Amino acid sequence: PCPPLPCDTAWHRTAMGHATALLLALTLLSPWERAGGTCPQRCVCAANILSCSQAVLSAVPAPLPPFAAVLDLSHNNLSRLRGDWAPGRLGHLRALLLSHNGLSFVSTEAFAHVPRLRHLDLSSNRLRALEENLFSDLTELEVLLLYNNEIATVDRTAFENLARLRKLYLGQNRIARFPLELLRDGSRLPQLALLDLSGNRLRSLPVGELQALPAWLRDRLYLHANPLACDCPLVQLVARGHRRRLSAVMDFQEELRCSLPAAPAPVRILDLAGQQPLNCSEAREAVLEAHLGDSVTLSCDTRVRGARSRHWVTPGGERVLEEGGNGSAALLANGSLRLQALRPEDAGTYACWVGGPILNETLYVELLVHNFTLHGPHDSLNTAYTTLVGCILSMVLVLIYLYLTPCRCCCRAPDKPPAPRDDSADSSVLSATPNHATRVPADPCRSRSASGAGQDGGFKGGGTPQPPPRHGHRAQRKVSDPDSVSSVFSDTPIVV
């Protein structure tokens, strides 16, 4: 080792400075540089982000870093996306941005190398159709942006395997038919919470089935800026959304318009409630809760007098027209609907349509079916209560055994010697036994006490005979041994 002073030389300080600078440089290197690669030309690389936006690219740059988490290729000239655009697997890629590229073709194998993708932006391109199983490889996708394209047809299997998709943007396209198969059974896109179909070519909507959608999806189903035809079911659908203050209605009241046959321009849907020429009745609604296996009656409490006809529409769009109904649903004579042996699929919004001589009315009843039987929670509660009572009784029995066992005299210390006999009035009053000598009956515990061993195993006395105890119930309860009580607490565990 160097002496204290000579080690502090200029050479030593220079070497230490170079080492510190090298260590700092290695720390500041990006993952790309540490892996021995270089950032593609006209791109910006920052940690695990690769941005090639507005780089006038006609092909995807190569090589791509395998650790990239975000790849931005927006605002370029990538007109076709084939299956070989990523020669290797990009297992860390979470976001792929391809907007504003003029894309007109996307291969069904284009996303085979990015299975962990969560955010895919294909907006503002020239896509005309969504082919079969186009996104089936993206099992972890959560957000899909397809707005501002030319999409006119959507294959039924285009969104297969997207069990985690939460937001789907299909606005500003050419879709003329509502893709109800995406929502009907809830199994294809079970976590979908937002569906944007605004700015398309929809002329009619399956209002009955849209009413049965879950509340979280009804709140974020955007249908404005479509050439819809005016009718009463549409007016009531929008009016219910406005009454519930759903964001899809409240935020786009002006854009929610429909076309009347004689009107020169589309009119606001909300302006048609109760107005001519449709004269749509006001829709009322109620909420009813039930449990699996229950039988409920949905009341059609209409205000229309002299109703000529009425029928119910189930959440699946099936009509119940005649008394007797079909299976579990039966129409009663007073117009109510009787449902028996409720199942989970019976939940949803039921509509009662009433036709009168002047005014028609529609009543909606939203049925919530809880996924447990009515007696299940009570049975479990009774079981828990019984268990608790059993535990308390067990503790009481243990305490009785410890403190109220027979032959309590075995647990007490020898009594104090009796006071001298006195014929005074005080002694005659305070004494529970007569002052004259009596023969004491044999005490079954005396032999054990005289041996010197107590109930807790402690040794009492040195073998000397114990004086006779006072007779009578009062004398027995008055005299006690604190040591015997403390020995119970010290030797016996307390169960809580």
Side-chain angles (χ1 to χ4, degrees):
C2 297
L5 294 178
C7 280
D8 191 11
T9 61
W11 176 86
H12 183 263
R13 290 194 300 269
T14 304
M16 291 297 295
H18 288 313
T20 304
L22 179 60
L23 180 61
L24 181 61
L26 291 176
T27 304
L28 296 178
L29 282 177
S30 66
W32 192 301
E33 294 169 339
R34 289 200 300 268
T38 58
C39 189
Q41 294 183 358
R42 293 179 289 183
C43 297
V44 177
C45 301
N48 58 355
I49 299 176
L50 175 59
S51 176
C52 301
S53 180
Q54 299 182 358
V56 198
L57 298 175
S58 57
V60 178
L64 293 174
F67 51 81
V70 178
L71 178 57
D72 185 2
L73 297 171
S74 61
H75 296 274
N76 282 290
N77 299 320
L78 307 176
S79 60
R80 302 177 70 85
L81 191 67
R82 302 183 180 274
D84 58 352
W85 69 272
R89 181 183 176 88
L90 301 176
H92 295 277
L93 196 64
R94 298 294 184 269
L96 178 59
L97 311 178
L98 289 166
S99 62
H100 298 277
N101 267 286
L103 274 172
S104 59
F105 171 78
V106 177
S107 172
T108 55
E109 302 176 355
F111 307 109
H113 297 292
V114 288
R116 307 294 297 277
L117 207 63
R118 297 180 183 177
H119 183 101
L120 178 58
D121 187 358
L122 292 171
S123 63
S124 300
N125 283 294
R126 296 178 181 176
L127 299 176
R128 297 183 178 181
L130 301 180
E131 302 293 340
E132 180 181 1
N133 295 318
L134 180 58
F135 306 107
S136 60
D137 292 325
L138 302 176
T139 57
E140 298 186 12
L141 193 64
E142 298 178 0
V143 180
L144 179 56
L145 284 72
L146 291 165
Y147 63 87
N148 195 24
N149 276 278
E150 301 174 5
I151 300 173
T153 59
V154 179
D155 189 86
R156 293 178 179 269
T157 63
F159 302 102
E160 289 285 347
N161 300 331
L162 299 186
R164 297 187 181 183
L165 189 65
R166 297 185 297 106
K167 299 180 181 181
L168 177 57
Y169 296 87
L170 286 168
Q172 303 298 322
N173 278 286
R174 301 178 182 179
I175 301 175
R177 184 189 67 85
F178 188 90
L180 190 60
E181 61 275 3
L182 301 179
L183 312 173
R184 177 168 292 161
D185 53 0
S187 60
R188 184 163 300 179
L189 299 175
Q191 297 190 19
L192 189 64
L194 185 150
L195 177 59
D196 179 17
L197 289 170
S198 62
N200 278 278
R201 299 181 178 180
L202 301 176
R203 295 186 176 275
S204 62
L205 298 175
V207 176
E209 300 195 30
L210 293 182
Q211 295 280 14
L213 291 178
W216 63 83
L217 184 53
R218 286 202 306 262
D219 188 18
R220 309 187 75 178
L221 177 61
Y222 296 90
L223 299 168
H224 56 275
N226 274 286
L228 298 169
C230 298
D231 57 15
C232 287
L234 175 63
V235 174
Q236 292 172 356
L237 175 68
V238 177
R240 288 187 66 202
H242 185 267
R243 186 163 52 250
R244 293 187 175 190
R245 304 191 66 82
L246 302 184
S247 59
V249 176
M250 300 299 297
D251 297 341
F252 299 96
Q253 299 183 38
E254 294 298 326
E255 290 85 353
L256 280 168
R257 295 176 175 268
C258 62
S259 300
L260 289 169
V267 296
R268 290 178 74 247
I269 297 178
L270 292 175
D271 293 340
L272 295 175
Q275 303 295 326
Q276 297 291 340
L278 295 180
N279 195 24
C280 299
S281 60
E282 180 183 359
R284 295 187 296 158
E285 59 183 336
V287 178
L288 180 63
E289 298 187 24
H291 302 81
L292 290 179
D294 288 353
S295 296
V296 297
T297 301
L298 309 184
S299 177
C300 188
D301 187 14
T302 179
R303 293 172 295 185
V304 176
R305 296 184 178 181
R308 298 177 179 177
S309 62
R310 72 178 72 195
H311 66 267
W312 283 87
V313 180
T314 65
E318 184 178 3
R319 292 192 176 190
V320 183
L321 302 173
E322 301 176 357
E323 295 185 19
N326 47 358
S328 61
L331 184 64
L332 304 181
N334 61 356
S336 300
L337 184 66
R338 180 70 174 174
L339 301 176
Q340 299 179 352
L342 290 179
R343 302 164 298 173
E345 54 268 25
D346 292 331
T349 302
Y350 292 78
C352 178
W353 184 86
V354 182
I358 301 176
L359 183 66
N360 300 330
E361 187 176 28
T362 305
L363 293 91
Y364 296 98
V365 179
E366 186 170 355
L367 178 61
L368 305 178
V369 179
H370 297 290
N371 198 18
F372 55 84
T373 59
L374 180 60
H375 304 289
H378 298 281
D379 293 341
S380 61
L381 180 60
N382 291 335
T383 303
Y385 178 75
T386 305
T387 304
L388 179 61
V389 172
C391 293
I392 294 176
L393 290 177
S394 300
M395 295 179 63
V396 171
L397 291 176
V398 170
L399 293 176
I400 291 175
Y401 175 77
L402 292 177
Y403 296 105
L404 301 179
T405 54
C407 193
R408 285 294 300 271
C409 55
C410 305
C411 306
R412 295 195 303 271
D415 292 338
K416 296 181 180 180
R421 293 184 178 179
D422 190 0
D423 294 333
S424 64
D426 295 337
S427 62
S428 63
V429 173
L430 297 177
S431 176
T433 58
N435 292 332
H436 57 275
T438 57
R439 180 177 180 84
V440 181
D443 190 349
C445 299
R446 186 171 182 178
S447 59
R448 296 172 57 187
S449 301
S451 64
Q455 184 178 1
D456 57 351
F459 188 77
K460 301 292 183 180
T464 59
Q466 302 291 337
R470 293 177 181 267
H471 302 292
H473 181 70
R474 182 184 301 272
Q476 291 181 7
R477 294 183 59 89
K478 183 177 180 181
V479 181
S480 62
D481 185 5
D483 295 337
S484 64
V485 178
S486 62
S487 66
V488 172
F489 281 98
S490 61
D491 297 339
T492 305
I494 298 177
V495 181
V496 180

